[in-house]
Each structure stands twice: as structure tokens, then as C-alpha cells.
Amino acid sequence: MKIVSIQRLTFEPKEVADLKVENDQIVAGRVGNSLNEGDIKGFELIKHLNEPIDAISIGSLDAITLVHTFVRGAENVYEVGEQLSKENTEAHNAAIVASKINSIDGVELIVCGDVEQDTGRSLFAGLLASKLGWDLFTNIIKVDKQDSSLVITQETEAGLQNFELMGPAIICPDESCSEGDDPSDAYDLIEKLEKKESVKVKVDNKVDSSREKLSLEEPKGSESQAVVSLDGTAVKNVLDLIKNYSN
């Protein structure tokens, strides 16, 4: 079984208050980047399975993040395209990642965070599952081997429930999952892996021309509308619409 872990560099959450918007574009200034916390938790969720893990990064990773990805346990790191995930639409990211996954033999499981750390939206995982035609499971707190299959444990409002994966799937860790040990503390592994290189994957980075208008301000609430009374004609029209469905 081959497992793929998605790695996305996003704005450092502790510094997002310093972001600005100019001409509908986010201006980062000195705000740094960090890996999506959900992606880190996803890697930690499956590393104990002792199955080969490849990592796919949207855009190029800096040297430190790259070696940390190898330290976490990635056999190969594929850097897909040149633009970071935050520079593309979620649909574009899903398309280029799905294309790369289809080129890797034996992939049966993908792990990634279900929230876009820099937008707070939860679109990428669902779009990727749709592109691949795979099942999607969120809020996963545990993954175990059972004979030749995997069993996942999902946190729900009603409690825990288990699923046996019968085919390829995308799983997203629950936010309560651990990020594991800090890879920067693994000095020996860093020294051993610091010269290991990623695989660059060229893609068409043309992003959808349609863009949302960006704002860091709280949106205004909708204004209340005037109440329109129902006259006899309006009531008759409603009755005509529903009478065919009455007993």
C-alpha cells in the first residue's frame, strides 16, 4: 500500500493579524509561512502503519520544511507546480494534485487537513475526492491495520464509530490529533537527510480568472426586508402548485 500525505505551506497562523488587502490581493509583508497544521497531524496519524509514504507539496518547500518532511518519514517529496496553495483556487489545487496522484502506482490512501489554514474554508479535500472518485472521511482520530485492510476511527457528535476501508480513500485528521515530535529536534536524521532532494513536477499554473473580492473586514449583516401580505391571488397560486401532491 502506498500512502500520500499532502503538504501545504500557508500563512503562519500567529502572524495573520499583520496581513493586509490591497487591490483585492493579500499583501503578506513580513508574515511568514508554515505547514498547514492539519497536514502535519495527518502525517502523524498514519506514520505508525509502516507503509511507504510519499508527500505531495503544492508549490516549492523551503529547505527547512523539505528536510523536516523527510524526517517525518516521507520516502519521496513531489513539489507540484511553483505556486503555493494559497496563490491558487482550491479547484486548481485539487486538479494538479489529482493529476500527480494518478501517476503514482499503488496509492490507496491520502491524508490531509480538511481546513485551509489561511482561509478557514474546507473545500480542498472534498474537491480532491471528487476528482479521484474516492471516499472522503473527516474527523479521523485513529487508523489501524486489520489483516489486509485498514480500520479508521471517526469522532462524531454521537461518539466514536469505526469503518473498514474497502477501497481508496482520503482521510482528514480530527483537530484533536497530535502533531507529533518536532522534527527540528532530530539532529542525526536532519544531518543524514538535509541533502536529499525533492522531485519537481511541472504543471499548468494558469489559475481560474474568476476571483473572490478579498477583505479582512467583518461582512455586514443582511438587512431585513419588508413583509408582503398574501392576497387571494397569491394564496390561489400556492394552492394550485401543491394540489397535485395532496392525497
Side-chain angles (χ1 to χ4, degrees):
M1 174 192 294
K2 171 76 74 173
I3 301 174
V4 167
S5 171
I6 307 300
Q7 303 288 283
R8 290 166 289 180
L9 276 176
T10 62
F11 292 121
E12 170 57 54
K14 298 176 182 177
E15 301 174 357
V16 293
D18 295 327
L19 295 174
K20 298 179 180 179
V21 171
E22 295 180 3
N23 299 321
D24 299 338
Q25 299 293 313
I26 293 178
V27 179
R30 295 188 178 182
V31 176
N33 295 321
S34 66
L35 278 180
N36 187 310
E37 292 179 1
D39 295 341
I40 297 174
K41 292 176 180 179
F43 209 121
E44 186 66 19
L45 190 65
I46 46 84
K47 63 189 300 183
H48 71 282
L49 297 174
N50 295 319
E51 297 286 350
I53 303 172
D54 285 345
I56 292 181
S57 162
I58 301 173
S60 299
L61 300 175
D62 59 86
I64 293 176
T65 304
L66 178 60
V67 71
H68 284 183
T69 303
F70 284 125
V71 168
R72 286 190 172 97
E75 289 192 350
N76 302 291
V77 176
Y78 299 97
E79 296 178 328
V80 180
E82 298 178 356
Q83 297 179 170
L84 297 179
S85 62
K86 63 190 178 186
E87 300 172 37
N88 303 326
T89 64
E90 288 95 338
H92 180 80
N93 288 333
I96 62 176
V97 170
S99 177
K100 180 56 194 172
I101 287 170
N102 285 329
S103 73
I104 304 175
D105 292 333
V107 179
E108 297 182 41
L109 186 67
I110 298 171
V111 289
C112 65
D114 65 337
V115 175
E116 302 291 323
Q117 191 164 274
D118 41 14
T119 65
R121 298 190 295 203
S122 304
L123 297 175
F124 172 76
L127 289 169
L128 180 58
S130 176
K131 291 281 185 185
L132 295 171
W134 291 15
D135 290 328
L136 170 65
F137 299 93
T138 60
N139 301 107
I140 303 304
I141 64 171
K142 191 178 181 182
V143 183
D144 291 313
K145 280 185 179 179
Q146 181 174 294
D147 299 326
S148 59
S149 63
L150 294 178
V151 174
I152 58 176
T153 303
Q154 184 181 51
E155 178 81 41
T156 71
E157 292 183 359
L160 301 180
Q161 56 185 359
N162 295 327
F163 296 94
E164 182 180 358
L165 296 183
M166 305 302 293
I170 299 174
I171 63 174
C172 302
D174 188 77
E175 63 178 16
S176 65
C177 291
S178 169
E179 294 183 32
D181 297 331
D182 187 344
S184 61
D185 294 333
Y187 306 112
D188 292 342
L189 274 177
I190 288 176
E191 186 175 357
K192 177 182 178 182
L193 298 170
E194 62 183 352
K195 293 184 179 179
K196 190 172 182 179
E197 296 183 348
S198 63
V199 179
K200 304 285 187 180
V201 181
K202 290 185 177 181
V203 298
D204 180 3
N205 268 323
K206 184 178 180 181
V207 184
D208 299 336
S209 58
S210 59
R211 282 184 165 274
E212 291 181 284
K213 196 165 185 177
L214 301 175
S215 173
L216 296 178
E217 298 179 358
E218 184 177 352
K220 295 181 178 179
S222 58
E223 297 181 0
S224 59
Q225 302 295 315
V227 176
V228 179
S229 60
L230 290 176
D231 56 19
T233 301
V235 172
K236 180 180 182 301
N237 290 338
V238 172
L239 291 174
D240 288 341
L241 287 172
I242 65 175
K243 66 181 180 181
N244 292 331
Y245 301 96
S246 61
N247 293 327

